[in-house]
Amino acid sequence: MSTDNNIDKELCLVVKQAAAEGTPLRLHGGDTKSFYGRASDGQPLDLRGHSGIVNYEPSELVITARAGTLLVDLESSLAEQGQMLGFEPPHLGAGATLGGTIACGLSGPRRPYAGAARDFVLGVRIINGRGELLRFGGQVMKNVAGYDISRLSVGALGTLGAIVEVSLKVLPVPVREATMRFAMPADQAIRQMNEWAGQPIPISGTCHHDGVLYVRVSGSAAGVDAAIARLDGEMVDEGAALWHGIREHSHAFFADDQPQWRISVPQAAAPLSLDGDWLIEWGGAQRWLKTEAPADVIREQTEAAGGHATLFRGGDRTQEVFHPLRPLLFNLHRNLKDAFDPQRIFNPGRLYRYL
Amino acid sequence: MAQTAEPTPAAGDREALGRALRSLLPDDAVLDHPEELRPYECDGLSAYRKLPLVVVLPETVEQVQEVMRYCAGQRIPVVARGAGTGLSGGALPLENGVLMSLAKFNRILDIDLLNRAARVQPGVRNLAISEAVSASGFYYAPDPSSQIACSIGGNVAENAGGLHCLKYGLTVHNILKLQVVTVEGDLVTIGSDGLDAPGYDLLALMTGSEGMLGIIVEITVRLLPKPMSAKLIMASFDDVEKAGDAVGNIIATGIIPGGLEMMDNLATRATEDFVHAGYDTNAAAILFCELDGTPEEVDADLVRVNEVLEQSGCTDIRIAKDEQQRQLFWSGRKAAFPAAGRLSPDYYCIDGTIPRKKIGYVLTRIAEMGREYGLRIANVFHAGDGNLHPLILYDGNKPGEFERTEELGGKILELSVEVGGTITGEHGVGVEKINQMCVQFESTELTQFHALKHAFDPHSLLNPGKAVPTLSRCAEFGAMHVHKGELKFPHLERF
Ligand SMILES: Cc1cc2nc3c(=O)[nH]c(=O)nc-3n(C[C@H](O)[C@H](O)[C@H](O)COP(=O)(O)OP(=O)(O)OC[C@H]3O[C@@H](n4cnc5c(N)ncnc54)[C@H](O)[C@@H]3O)c2cc1C
């Protein structure tokens, strides 16, 4: 259970001192996602000591918690009230914290239908590279005062600041869920997922693997029953376990030592002709590829399909693991890094080599 | 941080700049006669007016780039303008700057129904997108009340919301990709045709940045399938606080309505006179609750919401009997601002957002404050999101009345911050709420905003002076506050 512990003052002091000395810091929570991003060294700064739910009022659909709060604790508090995190964050390990989840910005199967981590973030407190504790956004649904630094922090892998508190919009747990399966090849599945997504059907998850398309529908009892009748697939009994496996990468597909790539392309993009094993999610927008193919070949093909490729797990993590940015875009990234972390102490090189 | 002072331009500057810009653009794309400039002197916040030096109306991305290159080289500030419906003075010109209208960028470039995306130019009207895909069963979800007029570029720059954003999100949730011309005239792609892009989330950062980080020249928006069924319930309450509580009670059931809006009695009477929708003009407040989804879902939710409304003490419930009546009921809500305009020579729209549970309390406080200032206030707002729109009715011809209105507006925003909310939910800070930014943010936070701006625009040429106050301005505002209404430096220009 996460204890209620506010150590933001201490954290600010550590950051200030590191900035003064130019000491790089490796920000971390439960280290469940330390495999993600580039290899990066620094004096460890553990954010788990800064924990606890600060505010949760179910009828406001908002929860605010400190970064070190365990994701399991946060989710069980929500579940007690019949609510959940709409982006179904992957924990990828028992010790996942809220801060690490938001810094990595990963989202689960519900992403294309309900939104990504960034879509649910309403506000953050961060410590910038000067050791200043700053608050952006808030706990209300709509807020356009100032630049959207809250969402900018999502997926920045801690390179812009240490996230110390997050406010999230939450959703009611659907009354009913059901999963169906359909035997079909990948190209047909991609078309089918997108045709269905273009109709008012309460789809909440899609996955194609090994010649089978799985579709999850969620909503009110009446809405789900109607969707089942409409899609008319073969019912899958162990649906919850299937989606859990995909979300947590405990599905057999991910048990492999080969480099694992995350290919992000327009949802309806035709299958890529890269050799390897594929698992397609998110209506086609997120495709997992296990392959030994060279990075430049993968990137070239993905780019040609209008997307970007991430070396998600394994492979050479001293090279760029995220898709290289065009020079103009990279300059903006570098300028932003300097604006938040002028001494470049936070997770140097974790996102891109020169950030 | 760098903030350009605004010396009054010499007449020669205008001519010289006009000439220089004509060498880059077609003749008719450059306006520099004062009478041609008039239509551009303000946005929807017409209390603030300024003539720009020159207006340009480029029609190609290359022309936008040329203008930016030239202006960056000469250190001339540039203000972008969409349809000019903004309510915070975001598109207010600078006297020493160029106003760039994106009005000629009015084409829908591509519609991809399988990917459910449309690529459009920034000057396309919000509603035109939904109209273009309606026959195929799709729509673009964010629907500001100004949707017949406002541009999608302006929507991105303000992160506009609408009647249905409680369930379907704001602009930031409904766009995929932008083409942006930087202050130096370079073209960058932000976001992607997929669901994410590598690196920092610049798409979110650009959204709501009020024209201060770049000129948006193309937008790829997400399209949604139209819900199969939508039903609208209208509930009357004899007490504003009860209506406010009903909002929270509905959300607590686990149902997320497609829209959840509220109007108080003054707003209801004004709109009823305007659209004759058959509203209950005796109610202290009416709540609009739209339920959408599959017909089965909607029917089930309707029963549940009815129960909750009754338990919350509503005095009357009406359900739109068909699509035509549903549209009619909504039409009054959408026309609430112009309707309020008929109650009074002028009105001033406030945009604070508060936690839902404070709606009743804040509305009561606002009514008290209105009485204190001797000004009438109509309330019509996005209740489901806690986004208030008090409309202060005033007469700009009565000496001092606008100043009192502005002061009252400021007080209401400060109340929003006090109860845990924000000074702007969707209209942006612009020039209007710049003082209240000092209330909402600490100086370290404002300094971080300036540093971020600097990362995109080192010489502060894009819409300078808007949205984020300088620290010295805040110091001055703080001093004014201390002296309660007695303006300390009455000779200093306040905006
Ligand atoms: C009657 C009425 C009702 C309204 N209802 C709503 C509502 O329900 N919800 C809501 O959110 N708003 C509402 N508004 C406010 C307004 O319509 C929105 O803010 C809208 O998004 C502004 O769009 P515009 O094209 O008119 O932008 P403008 O007013 O022209 O500009 C707004 C800002 O965007 C910048 N900008 C414009 N185009 C670009 C571009 N291409 N690149 C970079 N920057 C650019 C400008 O510099 C300025 O800062 C309402 C306004 C009125 C008058």
Side-chain angles (χ1 to χ4, degrees):
Chain A
M1 195 65 207
S2 308
T3 45
D4 192 33
N5 217 0
N6 182 351
I7 56 161
D8 55 12
K9 303 273 178 320
E10 290 88 323
L11 292 170
C12 285
L13 284 177
V14 175
V15 173
K16 257 193 197 118
Q17 189 174 354
E21 293 166 357
T23 311
L25 296 173
R26 188 178 79 80
L27 305 174
H28 73 95
D31 263 335
T32 54
K33 297 167 192 75
S34 50
F35 69 88
Y36 186 58
R38 295 181 68 252
S40 156
D41 259 341
Q43 178 187 311
L45 179 55
D46 191 342
L47 290 147
R48 282 177 297 185
H50 188 63
S51 63
I53 292 171
V54 178
N55 190 21
Y56 174 38
E57 274 170 87
S59 71
E60 295 290 318
L61 296 178
V62 178
I63 192 164
T64 300
R66 298 194 187 100
T69 311
L70 289 176
L71 203 49
V72 281
D73 291 344
L74 190 89
E75 289 186 325
S76 66
S77 296
L78 292 173
E80 277 169 26
Q81 303 294 331
Q83 297 185 337
M84 63 173 195
L85 295 176
F87 56 106
E88 286 188 321
H91 295 220
L92 306 182
T97 62
L98 173 63
T101 300
I102 297 305
C104 291
L106 303 176
S107 305
R110 205 174 292 270
R111 190 272 171 254
Y113 313 102
R118 55 90 96 168
D119 293 314
F120 289 92
V121 169
L122 300 174
V124 295
R125 278 179 205 265
I126 62 167
I127 299 172
N128 69 6
R130 289 175 211 87
E132 297 164 336
L133 180 66
L134 309 174
R135 172 179 173 268
F136 299 106
Q139 305 190 3
V140 289
M141 293 294 151
K142 294 164 83 175
N143 188 351
V144 292
Y147 302 114
D148 193 346
I149 291 174
S150 311
R151 291 194 177 90
L152 180 67
S153 305
V154 183
L157 282 174
T159 57
L160 295 177
I163 299 172
V164 293
E165 188 182 297
V166 185
S167 294
L168 292 165
K169 177 181 175 177
V170 300
L171 290 183
V173 174
V175 176
R176 192 151 134 64
E177 284 196 333
T179 300
M180 283 159 276
R181 51 175 283 154
F182 307 82
M184 61 176 78
D187 55 343
Q188 196 186 332
I190 289 168
R191 206 171 325 112
Q192 184 65 75
M193 288 186 275
N194 284 286
E195 277 167 11
W196 279 334
Q199 297 166 28
I201 302 170
I203 294 178
S204 66
T206 45
C207 170
H208 181 269
H209 180 237
D210 239 356
V212 180
L213 169 64
Y214 299 90
V215 177
R216 179 178 67 182
V217 289
S218 312
S220 66
V224 169
D225 285 343
I228 291 173
R230 180 139 172 203
L231 298 186
D232 194 25
E234 184 190 331
M235 299 306 293
V236 175
D237 292 332
E238 64 288 8
L242 171 78
W243 297 108
H244 184 265
I246 294 168
R247 162 181 172 172
E248 293 304 333
H249 287 196
S250 54
H251 187 281
F253 173 87
F254 296 96
D256 199 312
D257 290 337
Q258 279 192 84
Q260 291 173 12
W261 288 82
R262 175 182 182 273
I263 310 287
S264 168
V265 286
Q267 304 185 54
L272 273 61
S273 60
L274 289 162
D275 279 338
D277 284 337
W278 291 89
L279 185 144
I280 301 176
E281 270 195 273
W282 293 8
Q286 170 167 274
R287 305 180 187 186
W288 301 98
L289 170 65
K290 295 186 295 189
T291 184
E292 300 285 356
D296 48 349
V297 174
I298 295 170
R299 295 217 159 101
E300 204 175 298
Q301 283 225 21
T302 307
E303 221 176 291
H308 65 99
T310 305
L311 180 54
F312 191 79
R313 224 189 256 268
D316 181 357
R317 309 204 75 83
T318 61
Q319 301 300 312
E320 296 297 7
V321 302
F322 295 101
H323 207 95
L325 303 171
R326 301 259 155 86
L328 282 171
L329 205 53
F330 186 79
N331 288 346
L332 289 176
H333 279 66
R334 202 198 42 216
N335 295 350
L336 275 172
K337 172 76 173 171
D338 288 340
F340 282 85
D341 178 18
Q343 305 302 322
R344 305 204 177 186
I345 54 171
F346 291 131
N347 292 347
R350 177 102 188 244
L351 185 62
Y352 286 101
R353 179 175 307 186
Y354 298 107
L355 278 190
Chain B
M1 276 293 144
Q3 194 164 21
T4 30
E6 276 196 66
T8 314
D13 296 348
R14 177 164 287 146
E15 271 165 44
L17 180 59
R19 221 173 312 120
L21 290 167
R22 274 200 192 84
S23 71
L24 305 172
L25 300 176
D27 270 2
D28 61 355
V30 180
L31 312 178
D32 56 1
H33 290 295
E35 62 274 25
E36 295 174 318
L37 302 177
R38 272 295 156 226
Y40 299 92
E41 69 181 351
C42 67
D43 65 2
L45 183 69
S46 55
Y48 295 92
R49 291 168 195 267
K50 268 177 193 170
L51 278 193
L53 265 189
V54 174
V55 171
V56 292
L57 294 132
E59 54 187 324
T60 66
V61 172
E62 292 71 26
Q63 289 174 359
V64 172
Q65 291 181 275
E66 289 282 334
V67 172
M68 288 316 302
R69 275 184 208 124
Y70 177 79
C71 290
Q74 303 293 314
R75 300 275 195 272
I76 298 169
V78 177
V79 177
R81 178 184 170 103
T85 68
L87 292 172
S88 56
L92 180 73
L94 296 174
E95 279 171 350
N96 63 341
V98 167
L99 184 93
M100 182 186 286
S101 163
L102 282 304
K104 287 187 180 168
F105 284 86
N106 58 1
R107 283 185 307 129
I108 294 179
L109 300 171
D110 185 43
I111 294 172
D112 177 350
L113 290 181
L114 193 58
N115 274 305
R116 303 173 307 288
R119 204 157 56 81
V120 304
Q121 291 188 320
V124 169
R125 289 174 307 114
N126 171 296
L127 186 60
I129 303 174
S130 289
E131 283 171 350
V133 295
S134 172
S136 316
F138 291 88
Y139 73 116
Y140 173 65
D143 55 345
S145 304
S146 51
Q147 68 180 155
I148 48 169
C150 65
S151 76
I152 185 73
N155 290 172
V156 175
E158 299 286 15
N159 192 15
L163 301 183
H164 293 93
C165 59
L166 174 62
K167 185 165 180 180
Y168 297 103
L170 306 160
T171 305
V172 70
H173 303 113
N174 286 281
I175 58 174
L176 293 169
K177 188 167 100 170
L178 300 174
Q179 299 282 348
V180 174
V181 174
T182 66
V183 70
E184 290 95 7
D186 295 320
L187 185 64
V188 289
T189 302
I190 285 173
S192 84
D193 291 317
L195 292 181
D196 41 48
Y200 298 140
D201 195 339
L202 301 187
L203 190 66
L205 187 58
M206 285 303 301
T207 313
S209 66
E210 303 196 23
M212 314 238 323
L213 303 181
I215 308 283
I216 300 157
V217 292
E218 192 181 294
I219 302 116
T220 304
V221 301
R222 294 178 56 194
L223 303 173
L224 295 185
K226 287 196 256 184
M228 273 190 252
S229 162
K231 289 203 171 145
L232 178 59
I233 308 178
M234 230 170 29
S236 310
F237 288 85
D238 57 9
D239 176 67
V240 175
E241 296 222 16
K242 279 190 209 162
D245 293 342
V247 171
N249 296 344
I250 292 174
I251 301 290
T253 63
I255 296 169
I256 309 260
L260 190 53
E261 299 280 313
M262 192 162 142
M263 293 203 295
D264 71 3
N265 181 266
L266 187 54
T268 305
R269 279 186 287 135
T271 48
E272 178 59 22
D273 284 350
F274 200 58
V275 298
H276 308 291
Y279 294 148
D280 180 354
T281 51
N282 294 318
I286 56 177
L287 204 58
F288 297 80
C289 179
E290 181 157 291
L291 299 165
D292 64 10
T294 60
E296 300 82 358
E297 263 175 322
V298 172
D299 289 341
D301 290 352
L302 203 64
V303 174
R304 189 82 190 87
V305 168
N306 247 312
E307 280 168 18
V308 172
L309 287 168
E310 273 167 12
Q311 282 156 10
S312 307
C314 74
T315 52
D316 187 30
I317 290 188
R318 292 177 61 193
I319 299 172
K321 62 177 192 293
D322 54 23
E323 181 57 22
Q324 202 186 345
Q325 196 173 41
R326 187 179 76 90
Q327 296 292 352
L328 179 66
F329 285 174
W330 271 134
S331 70
R333 166 61 190 90
K334 289 199 180 184
F337 292 5
R342 306 204 326 169
L343 289 178
S344 153
D346 300 289
Y347 68 90
Y348 191 75
C349 174
I350 313 294
D351 178 42
T353 301
I354 57 168
R356 271 184 285 263
K357 62 171 186 255
K358 304 279 183 172
I359 289 177
Y361 167 74
V362 168
L363 289 178
T364 307
R365 284 284 306 276
I366 288 177
E368 285 165 14
M369 289 157 85
R371 279 194 293 276
E372 251 169 62
Y373 278 79
L375 292 164
R376 286 186 302 163
I377 302 176
N379 283 287
V380 32
F381 61 99
H382 310 301
D385 300 309
N387 185 192
L388 304 180
H389 285 329
L391 302 172
I392 307 174
L393 309 180
Y394 73 100
D395 181 350
N397 288 325
K398 288 196 187 144
E401 197 153 304
F402 175 67
E403 287 72 15
R404 264 191 303 133
T405 300
E406 237 191 351
E407 195 181 308
L408 170 57
K411 289 274 154 63
I412 294 174
L413 296 182
E414 288 160 31
L415 172 64
S416 305
V417 176
E418 188 188 306
V419 300
T422 174
I423 58 172
T424 174
E426 58 182 15
H427 295 164
V429 174
V431 294
E432 185 206 18
K433 305 175 194 80
I434 199 142
N435 285 336
Q436 280 71 34
M437 285 291 281
C438 311
V439 178
Q440 186 161 337
F441 292 98
E442 302 288 333
S443 58
T444 45
E445 292 155 352
L446 296 173
T447 303
Q448 187 65 71
F449 285 142
H450 287 298
L452 187 155
K453 160 92 168 151
H454 189 82
F456 283 77
D457 179 15
H459 302 291
S460 203
L461 297 175
L462 287 166
N463 216 0
K466 311 272 179 76
V468 186
T470 58
L471 298 187
S472 57
R473 187 191 179 101
C474 286
E476 197 184 297
F477 176 67
M480 279 177 11
H481 245 206
V482 173
H483 292 264
K484 281 262 160 112
E486 283 168 48
L487 278 190
K488 233 185 147 199
F489 305 105
H491 58 283
L492 282 183
E493 204 195 351
R494 290 185 58 214
F495 287 94

